[in-house]
Amino acid sequence: MADHTAPDYPLDKVLALDSPDQFRALFEDTRLDIIELLSERAATTSQLADALGRPKGTIGHHLGVLADAGLVRVVRTKKVRALEAKYYGRTARTFDFSRAGMTEVGVNPESILSGAAREVAAAKDHFPDQELPGLMSVRHARIPAERAAEFAHRLSELLHEFVAAPRGGDIVYGLAVALYPTNRPHLEGGEK
């Protein structure tokens, strides 16, 4: 039986992004879509172009940028008539990046969360009559930094579990995770 918890090619568990070129390569909408599709299985330029509804030349360009940044690679080839089809795959299941690296190249956390909000809005239009699982909530708590670090670690583990889940079904779900400091007011003192 096929293992549907991982793509059909070997890849590292985590790749730490450490260069501005990697951030620039990753944080572009089409390239993010390519990276997401390759988390399922290896694919050719034509397969990716069909899935994304984009020209093969455009997808080929984006694959080149991702490959130059070390984020994708050719994982196998297959002879198709007189041509050799190249199947691309990610270099790692998870790309680990720091907030500082993102802002260095002009990517901000707000744009990531805004993208998730756009997907939520589009889902309501795409599935108007279906009752699908989902949860949205924002909560605030005044806690010590050490406790916030513990929550960040647990959320990271949940995110890794989510992306490693067995593939199936007909709908792609998104999981947006954010833990962030705020400047919200709080009450001083009080009973403990």
Side-chain angles (χ1 to χ4, degrees):
M1 178 175 247
D3 176 7
H4 296 287
T5 62
D8 60 349
Y9 56 91
L11 73 166
D12 292 338
K13 186 175 179 179
V14 178
L15 172 67
L17 303 187
D18 56 8
S19 81
D21 290 339
Q22 288 177 313
F23 286 99
R24 281 188 206 95
L26 183 60
F27 287 103
E28 188 281 330
D29 289 343
T30 300
R31 293 192 283 266
L32 283 169
D33 289 342
I34 289 170
I35 289 293
E36 284 296 317
L37 288 170
L38 295 178
S39 68
E40 299 252 348
R41 64 178 177 84
T44 65
T45 303
S46 294
Q47 291 169 333
L48 292 166
D50 288 346
L52 296 173
R54 304 290 304 269
K56 285 192 291 187
T58 299
I59 299 302
H61 164 75
H62 288 298
L63 282 169
V65 172
L66 289 166
D68 289 346
L71 304 175
V72 302
R73 63 184 170 84
V74 174
V75 295
R76 66 176 170 270
T77 58
K78 181 179 176 183
K79 194 81 160 172
V80 179
R81 293 185 277 281
L83 301 174
E84 186 174 74
K86 294 179 183 176
Y87 286 79
Y88 291 87
R90 298 164 64 121
T91 55
R93 160 85 57 202
T94 301
F95 298 120
D96 186 14
F97 49 87
S98 72
R99 186 174 182 173
M102 289 171 38
T103 55
E104 182 180 325
V105 295
V107 176
N108 60 51
E110 296 86 5
S111 64
I112 294 170
L113 293 174
S114 295
R118 285 190 301 276
E119 286 184 345
V120 168
K124 285 190 276 185
D125 295 336
H126 193 73
F127 305 105
D129 301 325
Q130 293 184 25
E131 195 64 36
L132 299 172
L135 169 68
M136 279 166 255
S137 180
V138 175
R139 297 288 190 257
H140 299 92
R142 186 166 48 99
I143 58 175
E146 299 79 25
R147 190 75 173 117
E150 291 172 20
F151 277 109
H153 179 74
R154 288 173 51 201
L155 288 170
S156 179
E157 287 178 341
L158 180 63
L159 192 59
H160 288 289
E161 179 184 338
F162 179 77
V163 298
R167 300 300 189 237
D170 297 325
I171 299 172
V172 176
Y173 286 86
L175 177 63
V177 177
L179 178 71
Y180 52 93
T182 73
N183 62 354
R184 296 176 72 85
H186 63 274
L187 297 172
E188 296 292 339
E191 293 183 27
K192 293 186 181 186

